[in-house]
Amino acid sequence: MTDRSLMSSIDQKEFIESHLARNEPLVARDCFPRTGPLASPRKLDLLAQRFGSCRVPVFDALFEMQHTVGFGDYVSMVEGGRPCDEPIPYVRWYARQRHFQMICADGAFAELAESWAAPSWLPSANYVFPPIEENADPVRDGFPAKGIFVCAAGGRTRLHVDPWASDAVLCQVTGEKRLVLYPPDAAEFLSDGEAVVDLDHPDDVRFPGWRAVRPVMDVTLSPGDAIFIPAGWFHAAVALTPSVSITWNFVHEVNADRFAAYLESGGSTDPTVRYFRAT
Ligand SMILES: O=C(O)CCC(=O)C(=O)O
Ligand SMILES: [Fe+2]
C-alpha cells in the first residue's frame, strides 16, 4: 500500500487529482463525524431504538434480495449472537434507486441528516452521476447505491466490481469491517466475464489464475474511517464485528469520459441510470 492511499488529512483538490482522476483507492482514518443514533461505535441499539419498527431488505452475500425483516428483530438477532444461516443475512437499506422500489431508506436518511457528515475531501461540486453541479451532499442528496448496510459479525459481500462505471465511498459507522481490493487489471484472473471468483469458496477450475494475483489493499476499517473504491476495482468485504456502514456511488466530472463510454455501451437503459438522470 502506498503512503498516498492511507491518510487522515487530504483536501478536495488533492483527492480529485491523486485519487479520483488516477483511479487510486484511499483509506482515510477518523474522517467523518457521527452523533445521535450513529454515535455508537460498538453497538446497534441506538439505531434500533430509532428504526426498530421499519421493514428492511435482507440480501445474500452478493446483491440478491432475499426477503424483508423488521429492523428491530434483525438487530436483536445480530446482537444476541444467535447462530444464523449461511450466508449471514445482510441488511442493505438503500435510498431510492429507481421509480419502482417498494422499500427505501429515504425517511431514515432524512432523520439521520443531523447525525453525520461526509468526509470533507469529497468533492462538493461537478458530479455527472447523479448530475449535481454544486453543493453536493451525500447526507441529503440521492446517490446511486446510497445505503445503510448492517450485518452481524461474519456478514460478507463477495468479490465484485460496482456498476455504472462509478466510484464508491464507504463510511464505517459501527464495528470493524475488512475490505480487500484488487486493481482492474486483475480482471483476467478474477473474472471469466460472467462471474467473479468467490474468495471464500474459490472454483480453481473456472478461475485457474486467481491465486497468482494479490490484493493491493487489505484493510480493516474502524468507526469513523472511510474508504474510496475507484471504478473497476474488485472488492470484497467482511464484517469482523456487528457492523454499520453508509455507502454511495458516484461519477465526478473528471471521469465524465469513462461514464459517457459506459452510457454508449448500453448503460443508458439501466433503471438506476435512468432514475438519476431524469430527476
Ligand atoms: O460493505 C460491504 O459489505 C460491501 C460494500 C460494497 O462493496 C457494495 O455495496 O458495492
Ligand atoms: Fe461494491
Side-chain angles (χ1 to χ4, degrees):
M1 210 187 295
T2 61
D3 286 349
R4 215 177 47 239
S5 58
L6 187 65
M7 48 203 316
S8 41
S9 69
I10 177 170
D11 63 15
Q12 292 188 16
K13 184 169 178 290
E14 188 181 356
F15 174 70
I16 291 170
E17 288 171 3
S18 302
H19 295 275
L20 265 186
R22 290 193 202 161
N23 226 40
E24 280 267 343
L26 168 74
V27 174
R29 302 292 185 188
D30 199 15
C31 66
F32 72 100
R34 289 125 16 247
T35 58
L38 300 179
S40 185
R42 300 274 153 243
K43 290 177 70 69
L44 313 181
D45 52 336
L46 296 180
L47 264 189
Q49 271 169 30
R50 192 70 172 249
F51 302 112
S53 61
C54 296
R55 283 206 84 73
V56 295
V58 170
F59 286 72
D60 67 357
L62 217 42
F63 301 106
E64 287 295 321
M65 188 179 142
Q66 310 288 301
H67 50 85
T68 64
V69 290
F71 187 59
D73 294 340
Y74 181 82
V75 169
S76 302
M77 179 200 78
V78 165
E79 301 233 289
R82 263 180 270 150
C84 51
D85 301 343
E86 289 282 342
I88 291 170
Y90 194 134
V91 168
R92 292 172 170 270
W93 197 10
Y94 287 113
R96 187 163 288 280
Q97 302 292 297
R98 49 181 72 201
H99 292 286
F100 299 100
Q101 184 179 345
M102 299 279 285
I103 295 180
C104 77
D106 290 28
F109 273 114
E111 279 197 43
L112 293 171
E114 305 300 328
S115 300
W116 67 292
S120 60
W121 38 265
L122 273 168
S124 47
N126 302 327
Y127 287 83
V128 293
F129 181 54
I132 305 176
E133 280 172 23
E134 52 190 30
N135 301 323
D137 184 359
V139 169
R140 291 164 199 279
D141 296 332
F143 274 83
K146 174 173 157 180
I148 304 168
F149 291 2
V150 183
C151 65
R156 290 174 187 282
T157 300
R158 276 176 50 181
L159 195 67
H160 67 283
V161 172
D162 281 2
W164 315 303
S166 65
D167 299 301
V169 166
L170 182 142
C171 294
Q172 187 64 11
V173 173
T174 301
E176 325 284 334
K177 181 178 270 183
R178 179 178 169 206
L179 276 112
V180 176
L181 271 68
Y182 294 82
D185 64 10
E188 61 176 303
F189 302 107
L190 301 177
S191 169
D192 64 2
E194 282 183 4
V196 174
V197 63
D198 179 348
L199 297 176
D200 303 306
H201 308 282
D203 180 339
D204 285 287
V205 176
R206 188 164 178 183
F207 305 100
W210 82 271
R211 289 177 198 275
V213 284
R214 288 273 163 267
V216 167
M217 196 181 267
D218 183 343
V219 70
T220 299
L221 301 182
S222 298
D225 298 345
I227 186 167
F228 166 64
I229 304 170
W233 282 68
F234 291 79
H235 52 285
V238 57
L240 306 179
T241 66
S243 168
V244 179
S245 315
I246 295 178
T247 173
W248 63 97
N249 286 55
F250 60 91
V251 181
H252 185 265
E253 182 181 79
V254 290
N255 294 311
D257 289 351
R258 185 180 73 206
F259 189 60
Y262 162 76
L263 293 179
E264 267 184 35
S265 65
S268 55
T269 60
D270 178 277
T272 303
V273 169
R274 283 190 151 160
Y275 175 75
F276 282 102
R277 295 180 91 214
T279 45

